[in-house]
Amino acid sequence: MNKMKFLRESIKNLKTVGTVTPSSRFLCQAMLKGIDFSKATLIVELGAGNGVLTRHILKKMRPDARLLTFEVQANFCELLRKIDDDRLVVIEDSAEYIADYLREFDREKADHIISAIPFVILPKDLAKSIVSTCSNHLAPDGRYAQVHYSTILKSMYEEVFPKVKINFTPLNIPPAFVFHCSN
Ligand SMILES: C[S@@+](CC[C@H](N)C(=O)[O-])C[C@H]1O[C@@H](n2cnc3c(N)ncnc32)[C@H](O)[C@@H]1O
């Protein structure tokens, strides 16, 4: 999907997509910075959109690892299913059900969770409940990486995760913040 199509899809579904351009290569790199892919066998991505970040994650993953990618928009899921990689599992469902899907893969916890869900525009309770579920289902050495376009939700992440570090990435439209969280 090119940038114009992403823009059209985003405008149609602004309440769930939360931005009008896909993440830049610089933002994708910033999201994955510091994540140790060498031992990870199961990674979760939330809010994959057109798959721009999905492709960066797959490039870094071990050949025997799996990526569970959650996306609620059917049109985006159609595009994600076109990514030709056996390690990718596209889940057309909301991130709030992450525990159920992990169980299907005989796992209680993901090694890492990488999210672009626009929690700022979701109901507050739902946002906090998804982030708390992610914390509960994150491996002890795991990283939770989240992109936002402001730091307005900083305190929510600090209530859930003992460690929260925020980095700024100017080379994106709009400029973005990456929250690196761990337990
Ligand atoms: C800002 S876009 C990110 C797209 C892409 N990952 C990127 O970085 O360019 C956020 C995506 O999250 C999806 N989304 C919103 N709520 C969701 C939920 N509860 N579960 C899974 N995906 C969700 C939206 O449909 C949208 O595609």
Side-chain angles (χ1 to χ4, degrees):
M1 184 184 273
N2 65 28
K3 284 183 183 162
M4 273 320 284
K5 282 189 185 159
F6 187 97
L7 177 63
R8 275 202 293 273
E9 204 56 38
S10 307
I11 290 169
K12 258 197 291 174
N13 302 294
L14 205 51
K15 278 197 175 148
T16 48
V17 177
T19 183
V20 287
T21 54
S23 297
S24 70
R25 143 173 83 91
F26 304 100
L27 178 55
C28 291
Q29 286 161 359
M31 291 280 285
L32 305 185
K33 201 170 170 200
I35 293 182
D36 180 5
F37 285 89
S38 68
K39 295 190 196 91
T41 54
L42 192 142
I43 295 170
V44 169
E45 182 191 13
L46 308 177
N50 69 349
V52 62
L53 181 58
T54 316
R55 292 172 195 274
H56 281 263
I57 299 170
L58 288 166
K59 268 191 211 147
K60 297 233 171 207
M61 273 173 37
R62 286 163 48 136
D64 62 341
R66 220 179 254 281
L67 176 61
L68 307 190
T69 284
F70 288 73
E71 174 53 57
V72 287
Q73 295 292 339
N75 288 352
F76 283 145
C77 287
E78 224 172 274
L79 286 176
L80 292 166
R81 289 190 196 101
K82 287 188 182 145
I83 299 177
D84 185 19
D85 194 313
D86 292 342
R87 298 170 301 169
L88 174 64
V89 180
V90 178
I91 300 172
E92 192 174 335
D93 206 345
S94 172
E96 62 207 271
Y97 306 114
I98 179 173
D100 299 340
Y101 288 96
L102 283 174
R103 218 172 297 123
E104 275 187 26
F105 287 86
D106 291 326
R107 292 278 296 246
E108 207 212 321
K109 293 178 190 265
D111 291 314
H112 303 292
I113 302 175
I114 300 155
S115 168
I117 292 184
F119 287 120
V120 171
I121 56 174
L122 260 59
K124 240 184 177 174
D125 289 352
L126 176 62
K128 188 156 186 195
S129 149
I130 295 176
V131 174
S132 302
T133 304
C134 288
S135 166
N136 293 335
H137 291 276
L138 183 65
D141 295 330
R143 271 288 190 92
Y144 176 92
Q146 171 74 48
V147 64
H148 276 302
Y149 305 106
S150 76
T151 56
I152 201 163
L153 289 183
K154 182 171 179 257
S155 60
M156 180 184 85
Y157 290 93
E158 287 172 341
E159 281 165 27
V160 172
F161 286 101
K163 292 177 215 154
V164 179
K165 215 180 113 204
I166 302 176
N167 289 335
F168 179 59
T169 302
L171 296 177
N172 189 67
I173 303 171
F177 296 88
V178 180
F179 291 51
H180 296 282
C181 311
S182 54
N183 287 314

